[in-house]
Amino acid sequence: MIGFFRKISIAEGISLLMLLFIAMPLKYLLDMPTAVKIAGWIHGLLFVVYVSVLLVLQFSKRWSFFFFVSAFLASLLPFGTFVLDKHLRDKELAEKIAE
């Protein structure tokens, strides 16, 4: 499940960067609001999946409250999910070693 969350995390991070650095400039500099509509919809969907999977993992893995809040905040910051991925990779590796 952590591997799936890592994939969703990266996709959510990419969608946020596309929204901020491609779609928003297109809207405000070139008067193309459709870019924000499409990128925003995709990002919104990925954000909902991200938070849903984060909640499932929080209850199943019993991560610390600090890690849970940090993972949530990472989804709100540009490049945050990419920083989080290193920690998720460590958790995934620790889980595989424990098996």
Side-chain angles (χ1 to χ4, degrees), residues 1-2 5 50-71 91:
M1 188 75 166
I2 294 175
F5 183 60
Y50 176 93
V51 172
S52 299
V53 175
L54 176 61
L55 286 169
V56 168
L57 282 170
Q58 173 62 23
F59 288 111
S60 66
K61 304 293 183 193
R62 301 196 188 280
W63 288 339
S64 71
F65 182 73
F66 177 76
F67 186 79
F68 171 74
V69 170
S70 298
K91 286 188 177 295

Side-chain angles (χ1 to χ4, degrees), residues 18 26 37 43 45 52 58-59 62 68 72 77 86 94:
M18 288 177 54
L26 285 173
K37 187 177 234 181
H43 172 67
L45 179 65
S52 299
Q58 173 62 23
F59 288 111
R62 301 196 188 280
F68 171 74
F72 179 79
L77 301 172
K86 180 200 177 303

